[in-house]
Amino acid sequence: MPVSLRVGFAGTPDFAAAILEALLDSRHQVVCVYTQPDRPAGRGRKPQPSPVKLLAERHGLPVHQPERLKSEESRAALVEARLDVLVVAAYGLILPREVLEIARLGALNVHASLLPRWRGAAPIQRAIEAGDTESGVTIMAMDEGLDTGDMLLERRVAIDAQTTGGALHDALAVLGAEAIVSALDTLADDPARLPPRPQPAQGVTYAAKLSKAQARLDFDQPAERLAAKVRAFNPWPVAWAELDGEPLRIWAAEAEPQDASQAAPGTLLESDGESLRIACASGQLRVLRAQLPGGKPLALRELLNSRAGRFLPGKRFAPLEPSA
């Protein structure tokens, strides 16, 4: 008869909820859930439960939301649960050694990159932004470092010229869910089939947290780099540029390597009824979908039909200040 593990789970956003859902559908038993405290969100700024909390409550699971895990009281539920393993996915808190050692088989992390590339907070978006052609998930035995633990399992997926941050997020959530269940099955049946492997010393990169300020486009960069940034930051924080003193959020764009205009970077070159072309340090950025303040994201065809005067050739997007 297959062995079932007692699992504790710690996670917060949609990515983590997909992992939890797979665990709930597996042969293993989720006995307690940790997630971030309810945070203000939306126009009313009312406290909102995390996707993991909502899912856990629908399944009648006990939910714990400590601000930190430094006190014995905050860790009590994990101790009392007599865990075989703790599964962590995008939890948002650093786990102290006392937590990592609670479960009999330790703590496993579902990390959304092929480690050691893109350790840290935003591996999905940083991979696209950097022009990577491949991403994946790594099941990692957690230690006290920032995503430095030994690797147990990985799954890979291609990144192409249409892959957005949202699309890669969804693909990795599916892969991560499959991978963690596979890892737990193997640990329960025959741990020797899943030997931990230290991460390579070469190829380490860090995925810094995203911010709206970082989403501003710098047209003194090549068009290909800007197009990658537009895709990476869709659906959040969404790439933008300043025109006539207002932000224009850019949801979809392509890079065209040729630019014979010799116009200054950031100059609007032309609108063909379907797109805008903007001069870059090299090449042109062809904007296909954008959003004006107070409006909805629109295909450029629709935006130009109503606001063509805002996008006359020769206008120039504001350059970034040197300190930006």
Side-chain angles (χ1 to χ4, degrees), residues 20 40-41 46-47 56 64 83 95 111 199 290 304 307 316 319:
L20 175 58
K46 294 182 179 179
H64 307 275
L83 300 177
L95 303 188
H111 186 74
Q199 294 187 31
L304 291 170
R307 310 293 290 274
R316 189 178 176 195

Side-chain angles (χ1 to χ4, degrees), residues 14 18 26 47 50 171 180 183 196 200 202 245 255 270 290 305 307:
D14 287 326
S26 76
S50 73
I180 189 62
Q202 302 295 321
E270 63 176 344
N305 282 342
R307 310 293 290 274

Side-chain angles (χ1 to χ4, degrees), residues 105-126:
L105 297 172
L108 302 186
N109 179 243
V110 184
H111 186 74
S113 83
L114 299 172
L115 292 170
R117 188 162 176 78
W118 304 126
R119 294 171 176 169
I124 296 173
Q125 294 83 359
R126 298 302 183 192

Side-chain angles (χ1 to χ4, degrees), residues 19-41:
I19 306 301
L20 175 58
E21 192 154 27
L23 294 174
L24 292 169
D25 289 338
S26 76
R27 77 194 206 207
H28 306 289
Q29 183 186 9
V30 179
V31 295
C32 67
V33 172
Y34 275 60
T35 190
Q36 286 273 306
D38 296 359
R39 304 292 189 199

Side-chain angles (χ1 to χ4, degrees), residues 292-315:
L292 286 166
K296 299 179 180 178
L298 294 173
L300 254 294
R301 179 181 61 259
E302 299 175 72
L303 200 60
L304 291 170
N305 282 342
S306 59
R307 310 293 290 274
R310 296 286 302 273
F311 305 105
L312 296 177
K315 282 191 172 185

Side-chain angles (χ1 to χ4, degrees), residues 146-158:
L146 176 62
D147 300 327
T148 55
D150 290 348
M151 302 181 296
L152 300 177
L153 194 68
E154 69 177 19
R155 296 285 187 270
R156 294 171 177 262
V157 65

Side-chain angles (χ1 to χ4, degrees), residues 17-236:
I19 306 301
L20 175 58
E21 192 154 27
L23 294 174
L24 292 169
D25 289 338
S26 76
R27 77 194 206 207
H28 306 289
Q29 183 186 9
V30 179
V31 295
C32 67
V33 172
Y34 275 60
T35 190
Q36 286 273 306
D38 296 359
R39 304 292 189 199
R43 291 189 175 183
R45 305 305 293 166
K46 294 182 179 179
Q48 300 292 321
S50 73
V52 163
K53 180 179 180 179
L54 293 173
L55 177 61
E57 289 184 337
R58 285 203 299 273
H59 286 266
L61 293 168
V63 177
H64 307 275
Q65 298 177 276
E67 290 281 356
R68 294 180 178 80
L69 287 163
K70 293 184 177 180
S71 69
E72 289 188 12
E73 182 181 4
S74 67
R75 304 191 293 265
L78 290 171
V79 175
E80 293 168 0
R82 296 175 289 107
L83 300 177
D84 290 312
V85 63
L86 174 64
V87 173
V88 182
Y91 179 32
L93 283 182
I94 295 175
L95 303 188
R97 179 176 54 80
E98 290 83 356
V99 171
L100 299 177
E101 295 177 348
I102 285 176
R104 178 176 64 86
L105 297 172
L108 302 186
N109 179 243
V110 184
H111 186 74
S113 83
L114 299 172
L115 292 170
R117 188 162 176 78
W118 304 126
R119 294 171 176 169
I124 296 173
Q125 294 83 359
R126 298 302 183 192
I128 299 173
E129 184 185 17
D132 291 5
T133 57
E134 185 178 46
S135 181
V137 292
T138 304
I139 306 302
M140 175 186 64
M142 297 180 71
D143 61 17
E144 292 183 79
L146 176 62
D147 300 327
T148 55
D150 290 348
M151 302 181 296
L152 300 177
L153 194 68
E154 69 177 19
R155 296 285 187 270
R156 294 171 177 262
V157 65
I159 297 174
D160 62 28
Q162 281 72 49
T163 304
T164 64
L168 185 56
H169 167 281
D170 293 349
L172 294 183
V174 172
L175 279 184
E178 184 274 329
I180 189 62
V181 171
S182 177
L184 294 186
D185 288 350
T186 304
L187 284 175
D189 295 339
D190 183 4
R193 291 170 46 209
L194 205 63
R197 295 175 290 119
Q199 294 187 31
Q202 302 295 321
V204 174
T205 60
Y206 289 92
K209 189 176 180 179
L210 303 178
S211 71
K212 291 184 179 179
Q214 289 179 352
R216 185 171 178 178
L217 297 179
D218 178 4
F219 292 102
D220 281 319
Q221 294 185 343
E224 287 189 3
R225 187 175 299 177
L226 298 182
K229 189 168 187 173
V230 169
R231 289 188 291 107
F233 288 17
N234 177 352
W236 196 90

